[in-house]
């Protein structure tokens, strides 16, 4: 079957017509650009803290409309507008303390990946079953964005907006790539159904094969998600453990947080002692495991005797091992570290954060940026070093996998803890520098998706909120407020079985990337054949 480029811009079929050169004609030419940007905004609105997950479908349906039948150059521009409409509001929290410059720069760079995807979709939109190729291409774009530049930035994966949606069980089938693919496919398929319906109404001709494919693009993801619900279970496979999540709070929000290291440590010690008093009074069950947030002890307990004594006192008072989030200097290198603190033996094990945050925990191109603005280098005075091994602590018989804050956005970082034996996942985080922005809710949604993806209870201890306990089905059973001192105690299931997503790892993502590449190759070959035929 030979596919050639259509001579008519098919997207024009749904656009209003106007006389060439008129003011209305000029406005009409702006419609696709406006729709692209507004569709991106609609996609942003589908993300937490809102529970409007279903808005992702019309967002991609509109995106499909503005791209189908256009040139790759138009797709590049429209894709960039869609990316900006989505990422600018989604990432506004990155400028809470450092101003709009870094926020706008980050969104502008990340939107380039969306622009390239848009250009690709214009090419494959001429193929049969184009929603399939287009959805795979979107996931391929996410795969690249999760790896470059600076080890990637997966924030804004479509899967992370679906924690409350019907598609969520698909995370257990093939992780975030399959979940995101299903949502995008359904959105593009929705547009194709509408397009073919309008076409058949106008021409009175029904293209049955195209209509069948369009309907399947909508139906298969939904049916697949319903079928995948059987993979989601809260049943305890290895018994239970009682966890305590400590949120000590911080003196105040902002970048000054790290200058108040002693106060933050004191707050977490005090909240743990307060919990110990409740346990002693019989008001709360005694925890088997106590989890502190990232940066709960920015005072290095291996170098500061008082910090060591304070943490040891808290562990002895609660009578349970504590996972302490510390900043530790070792052999001249700085590490963002989780420390396993036993009430009898003291510190016994450590986990060093592996996926460290560029421009937050280390400064890429330090000399170049310093030459441009010395203030940038003073904000990150010393780069953190990367850990090299997964972190699974054995705490009172339970195997707890540590995924520190930013790492929760990376598929490999979470999966490695589960394949290393974690029966429960903890995501210790510090969001004090982002004030009351949407960042904490976006990150919490990631943890909910991870819970379903690997069928594990996930705890989220955070310095200033929102801390939470999440069941393996993605439901939050307890959570704290923001900027309050609090603790959560709950008996949770321990699980050791692996979901298909855990077993398959990167394979579903690789398969979708290959599908996208195949679609692009087919489109390029068809275009070449079409040009040759037109020249004969």
């Amino acid at each position: 079957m030979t596919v050639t480029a259509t001579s008519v811009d098919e997207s024009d079929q749904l656009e209003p017509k106007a006389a060439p050169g008129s003011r209305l004609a000029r406005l009409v030419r702006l419609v696709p650009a406006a729709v692209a940007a507004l569709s991106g905004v609609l996609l942003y609105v589908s993300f937490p803290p809102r529970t409007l997950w279903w808005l992702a479908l019309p967002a991609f349906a509109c995106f499909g409309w503005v791209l189908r039948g256009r040139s790759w150059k138009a797709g590049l521009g429209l894709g960039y507008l869609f990316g900006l409409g989505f990422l600018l509001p989604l990432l506004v929290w990155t400028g809470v303390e450092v101003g709009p410059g870094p926020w706008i720069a980050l969104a502008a760079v990340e939107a380039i990946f969306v622009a390239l995807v848009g250009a690709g979709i214009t090419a494959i939109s001429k193929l049969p079953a184009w929603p399939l190729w287009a959805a795979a291409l979107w996931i391929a774009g996410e795969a690249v964005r999760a790896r470059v530049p600076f080890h990637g930035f997966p924030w804004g994966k479509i899967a992370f907006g679906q924690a409350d949606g019907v598609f969520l069980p698909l995370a257990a089938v093939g992780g975030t790539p399959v979940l995101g693919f299903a949502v995008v496919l359904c959105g593009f398929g929705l547009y194709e159904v509408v397009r073919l319906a309008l076409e058949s109404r106008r021409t009175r001709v029904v293209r049955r094969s195209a209509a069948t494919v369009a309907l399947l693009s909508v139906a298969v993801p939904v049916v697949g998600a319903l079928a995948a619900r059987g993979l989601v279970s809260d049943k305890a496979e290895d018994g239970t453990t009682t966890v305590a999540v400590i949120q000590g709070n911080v003196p105040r929000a902002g970048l000054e947080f790290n200058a108040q290291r002693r106060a933050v440590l004191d707050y977490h010690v005090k909240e743990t002692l307060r919990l110990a008093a409740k346990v002693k009074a019989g008001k709360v069950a005694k925890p088997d495991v106590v989890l502190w947030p990232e940066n709960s002890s920015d005072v290095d307990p291996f170098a500061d005797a008082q910090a060591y004594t304070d943490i040891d006192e808290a562990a002895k008072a609660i009578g349970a091992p504590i996972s302490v989030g510390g900043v530790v200097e070792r052999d001249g290198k700085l590490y963002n570290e989780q420390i396993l603190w036993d009430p009898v033996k003291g510190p016994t094990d450590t986990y060093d954060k592996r996926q460290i945050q560029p421009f937050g925990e280390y400064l890429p191109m330090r000399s170049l940026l310093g030459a441009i603005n010395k203030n940038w280098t003073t904000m990150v005075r010393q780069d953190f070093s990367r850990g090299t091994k997964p972190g699974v602590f054995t705490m009172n018989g339970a195997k707890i996998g540590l995924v520190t804050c930013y790492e929760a956005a990376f598929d490999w970082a979470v999966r490695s803890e589960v394949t290393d034996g974690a029966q429960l996942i903890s995501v210790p985080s510090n969001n004090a520098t982002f004030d009351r922005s949407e960042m904490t809710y976006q990150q919490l949604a990631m943890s909910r998706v991870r819970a379903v993806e690997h069928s594990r209870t996930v705890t989220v201890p955070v310095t200033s909120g929102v801390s939470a306990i999440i069941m393996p089905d993605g439901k939050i059973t307890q959570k704290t407020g923001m900027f309050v001192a609090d603790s959560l105690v709950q008996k949770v299931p321990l699980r050791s079985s692996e979901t298909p997503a855990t077993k398959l790892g990167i394979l579903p993502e690789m398969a979708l990337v290959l599908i996208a590449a195949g679609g692009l190759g087919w489109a390029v070959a068809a275009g070449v054949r079409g040009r040759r035929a037109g020249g004969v």
Side-chain angles (χ1 to χ4, degrees), residues 2-288:
T2 300
V3 183
T4 58
T6 179
S7 60
V8 179
D9 188 338
E10 295 180 9
S11 62
D12 285 343
Q13 295 172 2
L14 300 180
E15 291 182 15
K17 304 298 180 182
S22 68
R23 178 178 296 179
L24 179 58
R26 289 193 294 271
L27 290 175
V28 166
R29 285 197 291 271
L30 293 176
V31 168
V35 172
L38 291 174
S39 298
V41 174
L42 191 65
L43 181 59
Y44 154 70
V45 175
S46 75
F47 271 64
R50 294 157 296 277
T51 57
L52 303 174
W53 57 270
W54 52 271
L55 286 178
L57 304 183
F60 278 102
C62 292
F63 192 41
W65 171 66
V66 299
L67 292 179
R68 181 175 167 80
R70 299 191 187 277
S71 69
W72 71 266
K73 292 181 180 179
L76 197 68
L78 293 169
Y80 195 70
L81 289 173
F82 182 83
L84 287 179
F86 171 47
L87 294 168
L88 274 172
L90 185 80
L91 302 177
V92 68
W93 51 268
T94 60
V96 167
E97 291 297 331
V98 295
W103 155 52
I104 294 173
L106 175 62
V109 169
E110 293 297 314
I112 293 173
F113 294 96
V114 183
L116 293 172
V117 168
I121 290 175
T122 58
I124 60 180
S125 68
K126 303 175 180 67
L127 299 178
W130 73 267
L132 171 70
W133 312 110
L137 187 57
W138 180 275
I139 300 305
E142 287 190 345
V144 175
R145 198 161 66 84
R147 290 165 174 81
V148 294
F150 312 126
H151 299 275
F153 186 73
W155 216 279
K157 273 190 169 187
I158 299 306
F160 296 149
Q162 296 296 309
D164 292 292
V166 298
F167 298 102
L168 180 60
L170 289 171
V173 176
T176 60
V178 168
L179 173 53
F181 172 75
V183 175
V184 180
L185 175 62
C186 197
F188 284 144
L190 184 64
Y191 161 65
E192 184 69 349
V193 168
V194 173
R195 188 185 74 83
L196 291 173
L198 293 174
E199 179 186 274
S200 65
R201 182 178 179 183
R202 186 181 66 256
T203 63
R204 300 190 181 280
V205 174
V206 178
R207 293 194 286 150
R208 295 186 183 278
S209 60
T212 300
V213 170
L215 289 171
L216 287 174
S217 298
V218 177
V220 170
V222 176
V223 173
L226 294 175
R229 294 177 67 178
L231 297 173
V232 180
S233 173
D234 286 345
K235 183 180 179 181
E237 296 174 331
D238 305 295
T240 60
T241 192
T242 300
V243 298
V245 171
I246 302 296
Q247 178 175 301
N249 201 11
V250 297
R252 61 181 181 273
L255 289 178
E256 297 83 1
F257 162 71
N258 286 326
Q260 302 170 75
R261 299 187 297 270
R262 178 69 63 180
V264 175
L265 172 57
D266 290 345
Y267 282 16
H268 285 84
V269 169
K270 288 177 181 177
E271 187 59 34
T272 305
L273 295 176
R274 188 178 297 117
L275 176 61
K278 291 180 182 178
V279 170
K280 187 175 181 179
K283 297 179 180 179
V284 180
K286 185 181 184 301
D288 302 307

Side-chain angles (χ1 to χ4, degrees), residues 20 126 160 169 213 220 267 302 350 423 435 473 481 498:
K126 303 175 180 67
F160 296 149
V213 170
V220 170
Y267 282 16
F302 299 110
T350 60
Q423 299 166 309
D435 202 8
D473 63 357
E498 294 186 351

Side-chain angles (χ1 to χ4, degrees), residues 383-399:
D383 292 343
F384 280 83
S385 295
R386 298 175 184 274
T388 58
K389 298 178 181 178
V392 179
F393 289 168
T394 300
M395 305 175 71
N396 264 337
K399 294 182 178 180

Side-chain angles (χ1 to χ4, degrees), residues 292-510:
W292 282 12
E294 176 190 35
N295 298 124
S296 48
S297 179
D298 278 351
V299 181
D300 185 348
F302 299 110
D304 188 293
Q306 187 59 52
Y308 188 107
T309 299
D310 291 345
I311 297 171
D312 207 49
E313 178 190 2
K316 284 180 167 59
I318 198 67
I322 303 176
S323 179
V324 178
V327 172
V328 173
E329 188 169 353
R330 187 168 57 252
D331 299 326
K333 296 181 179 180
L334 204 61
Y335 294 94
N336 186 335
E337 190 166 85
Q338 288 290 310
I339 306 165
L340 175 54
W341 207 287
D342 187 86
V344 176
K345 300 176 183 178
T348 60
D349 199 359
T350 60
Y351 166 65
D352 298 322
K353 187 176 182 181
R354 293 170 292 166
Q355 188 71 41
I356 57 177
Q357 183 182 350
F359 304 100
E361 292 172 305
Y362 78 100
L363 197 62
M365 305 177 296
R366 178 177 288 274
S367 58
L368 175 62
L369 292 176
I372 298 172
N373 189 333
K374 290 184 179 180
N375 290 333
W376 292 345
T377 57
T378 57
M379 289 177 63
V380 185
R381 291 185 177 86
Q382 182 180 352
D383 292 343
F384 280 83
S385 295
R386 298 175 184 274
T388 58
K389 298 178 181 178
V392 179
F393 289 168
T394 300
M395 305 175 71
N396 264 337
K399 294 182 178 180
I400 314 297
L402 284 307
V403 181
T404 306
C405 196
Y406 184 58
E407 292 183 316
F410 294 83
D411 295 348
W412 66 268
V414 184
R415 179 178 178 268
S416 66
E417 309 301 75
V418 178
T419 57
D420 206 46
Q423 299 166 309
L424 180 151
I425 299 170
S426 183
V427 186
S429 304
N430 169 28
N431 52 24
T433 54
F434 303 113
D435 202 8
R436 297 181 181 272
S437 69
E438 294 182 356
M439 178 269 184
T440 188
Y441 299 103
Q442 292 172 9
Q443 191 176 53
L444 187 61
M446 291 180 194
S447 296
R448 295 178 62 191
V449 172
R450 299 305 185 190
V452 174
E453 181 179 13
H454 299 292
S455 194
R456 295 293 188 272
T457 300
V458 177
T459 61
V460 187
V462 185
T463 51
S464 57
V466 174
S467 298
I469 296 175
I470 305 167
M471 291 292 99
D473 63 357
K475 289 185 174 63
I476 298 173
T477 53
Q478 290 192 62
K479 64 179 180 179
T480 69
M482 294 186 72
F483 292 98
V484 294
D486 204 351
S487 60
L488 307 174
V489 179
Q490 185 175 323
K491 182 183 289 187
V492 298
L494 298 175
R495 295 178 58 82
S496 56
S497 64
E498 294 186 351
T499 64
T502 307
K503 294 175 181 177
L504 292 171
I506 198 176
L507 292 179
E509 185 178 60
M510 290 178 61

